[in-house]
Amino acid sequence: MPPGVAAKLRAAAAALAFAAVPAAAGEFEISGSAAGEARVFPSDPRFDGQFSHVQASLILSPELGYRSGDDRRQVKIAPFLRLDGQDSERTHADLREGYWRSVQDQWDVLIGVNTVFWGVTESRHLINVINQVDQVENSDQEDFLGQPMINLGSQRDWGRVDFFVLPGFRERSFPGRDGRLRAGLPVDEGAARHESDLGEANVDAALRYSHYIGDWDLGTYFFHGTGREPRLVANAAGTRLEPRYDTINQAGLDVQYTLEAWLWKLEAIAREGQGKTFAAAVGGFEYTFFQAFGSNADLGLLAEYQYDGRDDAAPITAADNDVFAGARLALNDFQDTTALLGTVVDVENQSTALFIEAERRLGDRWKLELESRWFFNAGKTDPLAAIADDDFIQLRISYFF
Amino acid sequence: MTMRVSLKRLNRAALAGLLSLSAVTAAPSAFGATAEEEKGFEIAARSDRSDRGFGDSRVGLTMTLHNAAGAQSKRTLQIRTLEIPSEDLGDKSLIIFDSPRDIDGTALLSHAKILDPDDQWLFLPALKRIKRISSVNKSGPFVGSEFAFEDFTALELMKYSYKYLREEPCGEFMCDVVERYPRYEYSGYTRQVSWVDQEVFQVRKVEFYDRRDDLLKTLALKNYRLYKDKYWRALELSMTNHQTGKRTELIYDDYVFGAGLKSKDFVKGVLRRIK
């Protein structure tokens, strides 16, 4: 948005707020981004119906925000739209955020749709439980569908408590029959079944406590409701996979210990309701060489171990006994150039995923992002087997307004 | 950890000695503080204490990065500061980026310590993620600028020891020239030379010497403005790197004092609702 328009909007907001309450003026802000993206799959598809090679997308994610002059009330609306040239299931719109928030001295309340990210590790985002994963966006579990909620929070000297009431279950999105990066059979989202009789109307709940003490940051929570992670069950004809959403209890823990240039991280969960009660964890470190090699660049080295104790009655995971190693480079230049290179190797069968994510600003309002994922050594029974031919290179150019 | 705590106590004891001595006599002390060291500390303390009681402030600013070839890049940000009255504790600050637009809403929360590493959290709006970050990166560039992290966060009196050098004219003022030495770990500087005017006791210029003791940067502070008849703020800062030819300018908007900010506005949970 040109600065002049922003100024006018602010002036209008100020006038409106002044008319209503003779206090400090509130402020509107319109921001967001529009992007074009191209994914190239060098290998031919493995399954019937999948497209070959190039997948182009347009992405629009505007944000409209209002905050009152005293900062105590906030409204935010952040829709999301992707138009995909290949996979109609990947063309989708969502409301990532759409809420009203009020902040009092010791209490704050948020009503509406929001995205909540917890956790500290890099190779797996194990403890996030509030939002459904937007699986058609990416396989890295960093994109989420907006979750309707009432979030009551309280900040005290002894930490922060958040209570979530979560009405309106969001079912996971999956690539369509045309799409790459899918299981051998396409997922029939319409055939989803829930353990709860209320289905998508089931109301879930979570309680979280988080705090920091010296060099330690920690959080813990308990969740009861329909688990976000479905089991995928083949139909009788063996032509489709049908999602099964189970009722679960889950406790989670996240810890980070920050000691000089070391970050020690742990995420762990225990889950009841999908097969035998099981625990899962991911933990490791990030060590940063600041101003590495006498330059302005920072070089971080990362290593994490992934454990998951679930049995065959639970949803399949690739992260059951795997080691992650990675390197993060931040050039600290005008363009904030950064790159993250990583690999995850299964300790038992050596199936390997390799990825690189890099980004650089162009001018003041554009950003170029590169992402590439490669899969090796995936044996026939490995969860990676279905996507073994789906190595890809992706370029995205975004304009920010 | 025990080592660090006891070391800190020792340092405090030494400082307490320095302070009480400076009140009594200008003679070299048993702690090794010379007349120059005491006078240097007094000048720095007078400057620092002229600011005492400001409570809290909010300010917006534009940061312009210039490289040696003349290219430039702009960032706009807001800084909120909460004064912690005790000189044994550091202030709390929150830096929020508005532009470049791709980092809109990125925020850095700092709880400054005197000699221990600061506590710092970064909020990344794209992921809605709060990340506790290492604060040993004192000498690294702050968002690609010629300002190091420590140039923003290490403004506490007790983070340095001091030595008086001389007095000399500095622009329209007469200045005391005081050398200061970082007492905290991981500084990129062996020393800094500061020019403090004798009229209103504000810092007008600082020279930074790198780990090899070569002149690295010069900071010029201009366009001082008086708020509430008591608190001076420079509205134009210019940092020139002599070794690379790069320069960073900070142009501040009007400061707001007494905005009613409280300690609870500087906890990590606040980062989720900054924008």
Side-chain angles (χ1 to χ4, degrees):
Chain A
M1 177 169 46
V5 177
K8 273 179 204 150
L9 270 174
R10 271 192 213 106
L16 274 173
F18 191 76
V21 206
E27 195 173 326
F28 281 107
E29 188 178 4
I30 297 172
S31 58
S33 65
E37 185 184 280
R39 261 186 187 176
V40 178
F41 295 85
S43 303
D44 290 329
R46 171 164 290 201
F47 305 113
D48 281 348
Q50 287 184 310
F51 69 86
S52 313
H53 307 313
V54 182
Q55 183 173 29
S57 278
L58 289 172
I59 303 144
L60 190 62
S61 47
E63 277 188 28
L64 177 65
Y66 169 78
R67 58 169 58 241
S68 63
D70 60 6
D71 264 0
R72 283 180 178 264
R73 262 162 296 283
Q74 221 178 334
V75 174
K76 196 159 173 190
I77 300 166
F80 174 88
L81 174 70
R82 175 187 287 270
L83 301 172
D84 192 273
Q86 291 285 8
D87 180 359
S88 59
E89 289 295 315
R90 202 169 181 234
T91 292
H92 67 301
D94 185 39
L95 185 63
R96 299 295 203 225
E97 295 169 74
Y99 60 74
W100 170 87
R101 170 150 44 199
S102 174
V103 181
Q104 302 305 321
D105 278 341
Q106 287 187 316
W107 295 91
D108 47 89
V109 62
L110 178 148
I111 300 171
V113 172
N114 199 14
T115 302
V116 178
F117 189 101
W118 299 330
V120 291
T121 54
E122 299 299 323
S123 64
R124 189 182 186 195
H125 303 300
L126 181 64
I127 67 161
N128 287 323
V129 73
I130 299 294
N131 291 82
Q132 180 58 271
V133 172
D134 193 351
Q135 188 75 29
V136 294
E137 275 300 298
N138 206 335
S139 56
D140 62 4
Q141 311 224 316
E142 291 183 358
D143 296 279
F144 300 96
L145 299 172
Q147 172 64 48
M149 66 176 71
I150 298 168
N151 172 199
L152 187 64
S154 184
Q155 181 72 52
R156 307 287 167 132
D157 293 340
W158 40 264
R160 183 177 169 82
V161 175
D162 281 289
F163 180 58
F164 296 87
V165 177
L166 308 164
F169 184 82
R170 304 293 313 272
E171 292 183 346
R172 188 167 291 197
S173 61
F174 291 96
R177 186 168 181 273
D178 303 339
R180 305 292 289 257
L181 294 161
R182 69 162 164 88
L185 298 173
V187 175
D188 182 0
E189 293 172 26
R193 272 192 248 155
H194 294 243
E195 183 177 340
S196 163
D197 295 338
L198 293 169
E200 291 173 75
N202 192 53
V203 178
D204 308 323
L207 182 67
R208 175 172 165 88
Y209 169 77
S210 59
H211 197 35
Y212 53 92
I213 301 160
D215 300 327
W216 294 86
D217 286 63
L218 51 99
T220 184
Y221 70 82
F222 183 77
F223 170 89
H224 172 77
T226 302
R228 275 48 183 151
E229 196 182 0
R231 287 178 290 128
L232 297 176
V233 180
N235 63 357
T239 53
R240 297 270 172 180
L241 295 174
E242 299 178 353
R244 295 282 182 272
Y245 291 96
D246 303 310
T247 301
I248 63 163
N249 289 307
Q250 181 167 310
L253 174 74
D254 55 282
V255 182
Q256 183 176 313
Y257 177 54
T258 305
L259 178 69
E260 303 189 326
W262 293 92
L263 312 179
W264 291 93
K265 306 165 174 184
L266 174 73
E267 291 185 25
I269 60 162
R271 185 186 296 171
E272 180 188 71
Q274 291 185 314
K276 224 173 91 188
T277 299
F278 65 92
V282 50
F285 68 82
E286 175 168 0
Y287 181 85
T288 305
F289 296 94
F290 294 107
Q291 296 173 281
F293 317 116
S295 72
N296 272 341
D298 300 331
L299 177 67
L301 300 182
L302 302 94
E304 289 172 4
Y305 175 70
Q306 307 171 339
Y307 164 80
D308 201 306
R310 67 184 65 192
D311 62 24
D312 293 341
I316 293 169
T317 182
D320 59 338
N321 182 12
D322 293 51
V323 171
F324 160 77
R328 187 200 307 278
L329 183 68
L331 293 187
N332 293 316
D333 55 354
F334 275 22
Q335 294 83 17
D336 286 330
T337 309
T338 61
L340 175 65
L341 177 75
T343 182
V344 179
V345 181
D346 189 292
V347 173
E348 282 158 42
N349 65 13
Q350 283 75 54
S351 75
T352 300
L354 189 70
F355 70 90
I356 182 164
E357 295 169 5
E359 62 176 61
R360 179 180 174 84
R361 185 183 310 114
L362 306 172
D364 273 344
R365 291 183 172 269
W366 296 86
K367 188 159 88 172
L368 185 65
E369 289 166 278
L370 166 77
E371 179 174 335
S372 186
R373 294 180 187 274
W374 299 79
F375 309 100
F376 305 98
N377 289 340
K380 283 209 168 65
T381 58
D382 192 87
L384 289 184
I387 56 170
D389 294 332
D390 291 338
D391 303 336
F392 70 85
I393 301 165
Q394 171 182 301
L395 274 179
R396 181 197 284 216
I397 184 151
S398 307
Y399 176 79
F400 291 84
F401 51 90
Chain B
M1 292 303 284
T2 335
M3 276 295 291
R4 257 162 68 197
V5 170
S6 57
L7 198 64
K8 187 168 164 178
R9 283 212 189 101
L10 261 178
N11 280 322
R12 274 195 194 146
L15 268 169
L18 185 69
L19 281 166
S20 58
L21 269 169
S22 67
V24 180
T25 165
S29 76
F31 295 96
T34 64
E36 286 75 22
E37 286 164 1
E38 282 159 29
K39 187 165 180 189
F41 178 82
E42 276 173 42
I43 289 163
R46 188 170 56 192
S47 178
D48 189 74
R49 286 166 190 163
S50 75
D51 205 43
R52 191 180 275 181
F54 76 86
D56 66 85
S57 69
R58 295 174 80 133
V59 68
L61 66 102
T62 302
M63 172 185 273
T64 309
L65 284 52
H66 303 263
N67 70 11
Q72 65 177 52
S73 171
K74 273 189 167 49
R75 286 115 172 72
T76 52
L77 46 149
Q78 308 162 39
I79 302 182
R80 301 175 190 170
T81 308
L82 181 71
E83 180 185 29
I84 304 296
S86 165
E87 283 180 357
D88 294 332
L89 298 170
D91 291 348
K92 296 180 178 180
S93 68
L94 186 56
I95 299 176
I96 306 157
F97 286 89
D98 296 322
S99 77
R101 297 302 289 166
D102 63 305
I103 58 167
D104 179 30
T106 302
L108 177 71
L109 172 67
S110 301
H111 293 178
K113 307 285 178 63
I114 301 303
L115 296 178
D116 288 335
D118 302 339
D119 294 340
Q120 288 186 327
W121 294 266
L122 189 65
F123 179 68
L124 303 164
L127 269 184
K128 316 274 170 225
R129 179 172 179 177
I130 296 173
K131 190 176 181 184
R132 172 83 169 258
I133 59 172
S134 166
S135 65
V136 304
N137 185 24
K138 300 280 186 195
S139 55
F142 180 74
V143 292
S145 75
E146 296 315 305
F147 285 84
F149 276 87
E150 62 187 308
D151 300 339
F152 273 98
T153 58
L155 306 174
E156 308 287 338
L157 176 66
M158 295 302 189
K159 283 198 166 197
Y160 302 89
S161 58
Y162 299 87
K163 187 171 140 191
Y164 175 75
L165 295 182
R166 60 185 179 271
E167 64 173 25
E168 67 183 28
C170 54
E172 57 191 300
F173 297 101
M174 184 60 91
C175 272
D176 289 314
V177 186
V178 174
E179 200 160 64
R180 61 188 190 195
Y181 313 93
R183 298 172 62 231
Y184 53 91
E185 282 184 285
Y186 306 110
S187 176
Y189 311 123
T190 49
R191 63 193 171 102
Q192 302 171 5
V193 181
S194 62
W195 279 256
V196 183
D197 76 73
Q198 294 178 346
E199 206 165 299
V200 292
F201 316 124
Q202 300 305 306
V203 178
R204 303 284 161 175
K205 185 170 93 166
V206 184
E207 289 178 350
F208 299 83
Y209 289 81
D210 67 14
R211 291 189 183 115
R212 286 187 298 268
D213 205 27
D214 294 327
L215 178 61
L216 176 63
K217 303 188 292 193
T218 300
L219 173 66
L221 303 99
K222 290 182 190 146
N223 192 10
Y224 267 95
R225 189 164 161 193
L226 184 63
Y227 289 90
K228 298 200 160 185
D229 284 333
K230 188 155 184 239
Y231 309 115
W232 290 94
R233 287 290 179 277
L235 300 185
E236 289 179 45
L237 271 63
S238 174
M239 183 76 93
T240 304
N241 187 317
H242 303 290
Q243 297 180 1
T244 62
K246 293 184 192 169
R247 184 163 57 87
T248 299
E249 276 175 358
L250 307 183
I251 306 293
Y252 287 75
D253 305 336
D254 221 6
Y255 274 85
V256 175
F257 286 92
L261 297 174
K262 300 195 178 75
S263 202
K264 66 175 178 59
D265 297 313
F266 295 85
V267 295
K268 77 171 182 179
V270 165
L271 291 170
R272 287 191 201 281
R273 56 178 159 88
I274 221 66
K275 275 228 162 177

